[in-house]
Amino acid sequence: ETKNNALMSIVSMEEHFGCAIADITTGDCFLTEVDKPQKLLDEINKFVPAEIICNDSFYMSNIDTDDLQNRLGICVFSLDSWYFDDELCRRTLKDHFHVGSLEGLGVGDYDCGIIAAGALFLYLKETQKTALSHMASIRPYSAEKYMLIDSSSRRNLELVETMREKQKRGSLLWVLDKTKTAMGARTLRSYVEQPLIDAEEIEKRLGALEELNEKPMERDEIREYLNPIYDLERLISRISYKSANPRDLVSFASSLEMLPYIKQVLAEFKSPLLTKINEDMDPLTDITSLIRNSITDDPPLAQKDGGIIREGYNEDVDKFRRSRTDGKKWLSELEARERERTGIKSLKIKYNRVFGYSLEVTNTFKDLVPEDYIRKQTLTNAERYITQELKDLEDLILGAEDKLYALEFELFSSIRDQVGAEVVRIQRTAKAVAALDVFASLALVAQRNNFVRPKINETGLIDIRNGRHPVVEQMIENDMFIPNDTYLDNHKKRISIITGPNMAGKSTYMRQTALIVLMAQIGSFVPADSANIGVVDRIFTRVGASDDLASGQSTFMVEMTEVANILRNATSRSLLILDEIGRGTSTFDGLSIAWAVIEHISNTKLCGAKTLFATHYHELTELEGKLSGVNNYCIAVKEKGDDIVFLRKIVKGGADKSYGIQVAKLAGVPDPVINRAKEIVEELVTADITGKVKDIAVQGSETKKKTQKKLDEVDLTQFSLFDTVKDDDVLNELKELDISHMTPMDAMNKLYQLQNKLRNRW
């Protein structure tokens, strides 16, 4: 009940896609157009429809339909070409919405979208066999009006479900969702999946939240009134479908009874958004009165068993009811008279569904049965008879009951249709209730978790002071989460290269920045001491390693595919979260790729996006000062002998070590392996590499531990990729080297000799 159940219609026309989305359980209907397969995939991932209907061209449009079916569980079904006839689709939409021209619906400019929407309604009418009167509007939207979040970023940021368990708990939605109604839960989910990029709209939402938190008593009172409200959107759909039963209508009325109280409290609020919600919320007192006056408080579930209509609502119903109750009195009087006349003390009037009413006489008194009794049924120890008088009475009583049930069903259907006729008013009110529920939920979460109102700017500045990860801080007990600052702009602080050991918190820090920006653009308060957020058009993330072996892609291939998508689609207004680019291949290849990616992003003519880039390639820290906008940061670590303590604090500067062995120890790798790794690393760093690799392999664990330089001392004096060598003889020697005819081992030897020469001189 907290998710939309969507049907999507897609029309592919020469690399141009029309897209219509409908949820027949709520009556929502949208249409849009996109110009690239990747953008269409983003829309599919945004709505995750249960079913896609399409034209045949869709199968040839570079969209992997097998992947949609297998990974996302979407049924993809192509319709016959006549469904997508332009004239037929236009006529279908005009007839359904009762308009003379499609411009009146606001969809005149969406040529491709109109065909998708027309095919959608043709398909629905064919499959649902009803008038679909609850689908009273179709809303065009532009995909560019919302922040674009591709499928891998949705997954990596865990917006509505976690990556591993696919559970809501542990996602951003889990933190924000304290809604009271199913409508509110669905609306909040759509807000999280479609953040805004219009600063004015964002400010309106933030203003509503701020006022709700300034009046906590009124906010909590509203939430109390929201609690008993059923799912109005889906109830009105069932009413329109004529599948609603009497209890549904009673639930509907009890929900509507809350509206006047909500409006009364809401009248005290002055922010534009809450004022508009109050205006859109119709108290619907006429519908409440209709249902309350006509239907009993506790009607049966079945529609044809009677007992639905309240006494006093309809004269005929009351008359039939009276004849039914009076009939029982008439039967008891007849029974008493017949006992008196025949002298049979055990005579009783019985009822049977097959034979109707009869006079039952036990075998003991069989001899006293009068001649005008007609035998009807023989039992083991009794006989059943009827008389003409009893037959006439039976016709009167049973006829009244049948007529009563038929009339009650007829009246109930009429009441249901009267309610269904008000579908537009009810849907508008339901949307207002859902939005109010969302804002009340976000306001409560902000107050409970010490979130602050972010400032919104359009200059591109992202300045977060003491930001926290909204989900991780909920999982950590005793408020132990360490907050961190983030500062990115479009000038000298565009790219932050973050180094530090695994497990220190690089990924958490980067994701928290993305989530804070996203929360601000949802219109939510954010977990920080203060935040000034520049509106971003897209958030891209490349986090973690994941195989896609089912479709034949290795970890590295998946990583490079995602990087390719980012580099092709990111703009100067985008936010990029890149974690460990290039680690899936050899060190030099990986370093080269990471290096080239940073150069590409830092070039304002090619990209210029704000970027957080985590890496273990410490050579990349040399880029600070060499490329414009690049800055180094690292996660602070405290060493205690062989152990390390993660301080979880981002500080300026680059890390000089990765602490891989210490992290392996923390993970529980056996001590012999840890000790051997320490020996090998000391040998590799300080010994003659070419000669010693063989020695290390042969000696095994018997290699004696030598007193050598510390690892960090050596690392600090590594040959810099950017240092200019001033020694002419070394330069000349480098120039004369014929690298193409050297083996890798010869090259390593030569490099080591040159390095030793320089080290001895310096």
Side-chain angles (χ1 to χ4, degrees), residues 81 109 156 272 283 293 344-345 379 414 444 447 480 528 567 649 717 734:
S81 56
D109 298 334
N156 291 330
N293 293 335
I344 302 170
K345 297 282 185 279
L379 304 177
S414 166
L444 182 76
Q447 188 186 51
M480 292 293 286
L567 297 182
K649 202 72 183 167
T717 58
L734 271 171

Side-chain angles (χ1 to χ4, degrees), residues 333-396:
E333 285 173 359
L334 176 66
E335 186 180 80
R337 274 204 314 275
E338 289 300 311
R339 276 185 189 170
E340 188 76 31
R341 180 166 79 89
T342 60
I344 302 170
K345 297 282 185 279
S346 65
L347 186 143
K348 286 179 183 170
I349 291 180
K350 296 280 186 173
Y351 176 73
N352 179 293
R353 277 183 178 272
V354 178
F355 296 106
Y357 288 104
S358 58
L359 296 155
E360 187 176 288
V361 179
T362 56
N363 290 338
T364 318
F365 297 98
K366 205 187 325 187
D367 301 339
L368 300 175
V369 173
E371 289 181 5
D372 60 333
Y373 276 30
I374 304 161
R375 186 183 302 177
K376 186 87 173 186
Q377 187 184 7
T378 303
L379 304 177
T380 310
N381 57 354
E383 296 279 348
R384 285 182 176 170
Y385 304 88
I386 58 165
T387 64
Q388 189 59 44
E389 189 181 1
L390 182 60
K391 187 81 176 137
D392 295 341
L393 206 54
E394 179 184 79
D395 290 345
L396 187 65

